[in-house]
């Protein structure tokens, strides 16, 4: 049904499980650099948020959210997760999503929107998979809370 999504999610899950066994990339091969540094991550997050706003499956969850604040927090979160010099100072994912009762379908829609934003920014698939692998463990902190 979604071959690209399936491929990417499977790769992300594999990366998540095998991350401890693989060697660390060199500085020039860092995920942070592959994502374009903080400026590239910020552009990707902005595109991602535009995708979410246009996504009728999940955009209602973002009604009333301060978009500038969310953009800055997600940029810092992705930057930190990718090995960049940023610090995510927001709440943990469990607290942020408490009482929302999000489903796997909601989570998957968000992932699809992130993938579309990364594709539009021409982020290499290997970098997409590595970032998704860093984000995948958050599923348990978000879905059903």
């Amino acid at each position: 049904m979604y071959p690209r999504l399936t491929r990417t999610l499977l790769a992300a899950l594999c990366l998540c499980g095998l991350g401890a066994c693989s060697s660390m990339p060199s500085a020039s091969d860092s995920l942070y650099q592959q994502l374009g540094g903080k400026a590239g991550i910020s552009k990707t997050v902005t595109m991602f948020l535009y995708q979410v706003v246009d996504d009728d499956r999940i955009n209602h969850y973002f009604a009333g959210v301060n978009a500038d604040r969310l953009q800055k927090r997600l940029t810092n979160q992705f930057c930190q997760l990718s090995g960049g010099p940023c610090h995510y100072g927001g709440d943990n994912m469990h607290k942020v999503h408490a009482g929302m009762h999000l489903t796997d379908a909601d989570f998957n829609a968000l992932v699809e929107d992130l993938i579309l934003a990364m594709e539009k920014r021409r982020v290499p698939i290997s970098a997409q998979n590595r970032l998704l692998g860093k984000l995948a463990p958050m599923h348990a902190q978000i879905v059903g809370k």
Side-chain angles (χ1 to χ4, degrees), residues 24-86:
M24 295 297 293
S26 67
S28 63
D29 191 33
S30 76
L31 178 55
Y32 175 73
Q33 293 302 323
Q34 286 187 324
L35 294 171
K38 188 165 184 182
I41 292 168
S42 180
K43 289 176 185 176
T44 299
V45 169
T46 298
M47 287 184 129
F48 169 50
L49 293 176
Y50 280 118
Q51 290 293 138
V52 169
V53 167
D54 289 340
D55 190 337
D56 291 336
R57 299 172 296 173
I58 58 173
N59 59 11
H60 58 279
Y61 290 115
F62 295 86
V65 170
N66 180 326
D68 290 333
R69 181 175 177 235
L70 180 59
Q71 197 279 345
K72 288 175 185 167
R73 289 216 170 157
L74 285 174
T75 295
N76 282 332
Q77 185 179 39
F78 290 10
C79 177
Q80 180 179 329
L81 284 171
S82 68
C86 310

Side-chain angles (χ1 to χ4, degrees), residues 84-113:
C86 310
H87 173 71
Y88 171 71
D91 292 326
N92 67 48
M93 294 299 100
H94 180 74
K95 185 173 182 178
V96 169
H97 299 93
M100 293 179 74
H101 309 289
L102 298 169
T103 65
D104 283 328
D106 298 325
F107 187 85
N108 291 342
L110 194 73
V111 171
E112 288 176 32
D113 291 341

Side-chain angles (χ1 to χ4, degrees), residues 12-13 16-17 93 107 131-142:
L13 292 174
C16 200
M93 294 299 100
F107 187 85
L131 179 61
L132 292 170
K134 303 259 183 202
L135 295 169
M138 294 179 191
H139 177 275
Q141 300 170 27
I142 295 171

Side-chain angles (χ1 to χ4, degrees), residues 1-9 57 108-109 112 115-116:
M1 184 170 170
Y2 295 102
R4 177 186 43 169
L5 175 63
T6 302
R7 170 191 48 81
T8 305
L9 288 176
R57 299 172 296 173
N108 291 342
E112 288 176 32
I115 291 168
L116 285 171

